[in-house]
Amino acid sequence: MGKKALITGVTGQDGSYLSEFLIEKGYDVYGMIRRSSVDFRERIAHLESNPQFHLVYGDLGDAVSLIKVMTEVKPDEVYNLAAQSHVQVSFDVPEFTADVDATGVLRVLEAVRIAGIADKCHIYQASTSELYGKVEEVPQNENTPFHPYSPYAVAKLYGYWIIKEYREAYNMFCCSGILFNHESERRGETFVTRKITLAAARISQGMQDKLYLGNMDSLRDWGYAKDYVECMWLILQNDKPEDFVIATGVQHSVREFTTLAFHHAGIELEWQGAGMDEKGVDKATGRVLVEVSPDFYRPTDVVNLWGDPSKAKRELGWNPTKTSFEELVKIMVDHDMKKVKNA
Ligand code: NAP
Ligand code: F7E
């Protein structure tokens, strides 16, 4: 019998890649979904007929459903990826974000205990570089102090600490992966990278006039989601339960991402002006293609994320630079150029 893994957040970017990765490793994957008025689950539709892939209903806001799932499935490994994961949205729905991203983690841990599998089940918690928030050190590692700077980050900080608490109080094998931004052709369309690659593809094919962005000076350590799910698994195969920073160790600005994405779509941008008046102009035509909009600024923004993945490299043997920043942008733009063409 192969191992059984339960993935919450299976319909998300990471959940879909992790499912593929674990199926390949011979696992039986149980993906937890919540009821939606739309039945088509785009990111996992190709897995739904795989005999190693099973869907179960549950919700991180509903302890009863989690207890039922844990009791029936009795997973060897739980990957808690479910969350309200959009930082800007967390300012609009702070209570829901806290319920799912903070208390939801507690519900998962208690469900594992109530199901009587706490002594054998390994648990991965999707933690985040947003914990460093208003950063106190650059680059950030496992010992860098946290300074969460959004309702999302504050909720995720609770998740981080409750995982640590259950590890020490009940000797459970539960760990946090402190993952820096990771993107892909499956990234949600309102996160900045995907918003840019889709816009570059649409603008280059005459389907959109302009792209409006917020803070283009913001710096991120962007990796490829497909590479990062391997690390989630490695963390749970480690001899001892520990937390790890997962990042590439390379930092770029939103402006640099935009320039490169448009370049891959066949447009060379030139930047003119500053602050709210900054514009991205097509060098060939003089047309303004990118503008700044206050709508995409946050009440507090995290602007200097840069991870140090030394521990993951050393102790898990993980390669943080498998897919470079340049390759990542190209993968996303190539995908979106085709998507727009076939739309
Ligand atoms: P995502 O694409 O937004 O997926 C989030 C998933 O959570 C979806 O499957 C969503 O289901 C599910 N979900 C939301 N609320 C739920 C609830 N109440 N009960 C059950 N499921 C719920 O996020 P992602 O990018 O794959 O990220 C995965 C995890 O890693 C998240 O916890 C995120 O906060 C964290 N993280 C992400 C990054 C990153 O750069 N991607 C970095 C660090 C940490 P529906 O499809 O039904 O909405
Ligand atoms: O913003 C700036 C924005 O929304 C990145 C989540 O997966 O990673 C993600 O959170 C930066 C911010 O991701 C726009 O102000 C400028 O500084 O793509 P994002 P995020 O907030 O970093 C972390 C690690 C997670 O844990 C989260 O779950 O880009 N920015 N202009 C913009 N951002 C957006 N969304 N849209 C803009 O127009």
Side-chain angles (χ1 to χ4, degrees), residues 184-195:
S184 73
E185 57 275 37
R186 295 186 195 169
R187 185 60 143 152
E189 296 181 7
T190 59
F191 294 97
V192 78
T193 56
R194 190 75 198 288
K195 181 174 164 181

Side-chain angles (χ1 to χ4, degrees), residues 110-164:
E110 278 299 321
V112 166
R113 295 185 68 218
I114 292 166
I117 54 172
D119 56 338
K120 66 151 200 142
C121 181
H122 289 197
I123 303 168
Y124 172 85
Q125 165 59 15
S127 192
T128 167
S129 51
E130 288 292 305
L131 300 189
Y132 300 117
K134 194 176 180 188
V135 299
E136 300 190 5
E137 182 177 274
V138 180
Q140 296 94 34
N141 63 35
E142 290 79 3
N143 300 315
T144 301
F146 296 134
H147 189 143
Y149 215 33
S150 66
Y152 168 79
V154 174
K156 283 281 185 178
L157 187 61
Y158 176 88
Y160 172 87
W161 279 110
I162 201 70
I163 286 282
K164 212 172 165 58

Side-chain angles (χ1 to χ4, degrees), residues 11-14 34 59-60 81 83 85 152 156 179 182 187:
T11 55
Q13 170 189 258
D14 292 5
R34 46 186 185 158
D59 193 301
L60 244 57
L81 310 186
S85 73
Y152 168 79
K156 283 281 185 178
L179 270 60
H182 44 281
R187 185 60 143 152

Side-chain angles (χ1 to χ4, degrees), residues 39-42 44-51 53-55:
D39 283 330
F40 181 61
R41 292 170 280 265
E42 194 181 3
I44 56 167
H46 61 295
L47 296 174
E48 290 195 25
S49 59
N50 188 309
F53 190 67
H54 318 271
L55 292 178

Side-chain angles (χ1 to χ4, degrees), residues 13 17 181-187 193-194 197 220-228 248 252 257 260-261 264 322-336:
Q13 170 189 258
Y17 284 123
N181 298 55
H182 44 281
E183 317 294 314
S184 73
E185 57 275 37
R186 295 186 195 169
R187 185 60 143 152
T193 56
R194 190 75 198 288
T197 59
R220 287 290 182 278
D221 178 330
W222 280 296
Y224 189 28
K226 215 170 180 174
D227 299 342
Y228 282 36
T248 67
H252 292 277
F257 191 104
L260 193 54
H264 282 306
K322 206 165 159 186
T323 308
S324 69
F325 174 72
E326 288 72 19
E327 285 164 331
L328 169 66
V329 178
K330 187 169 180 331
I331 290 168
M332 293 178 70
V333 174
D334 285 351
H335 174 275
D336 286 339

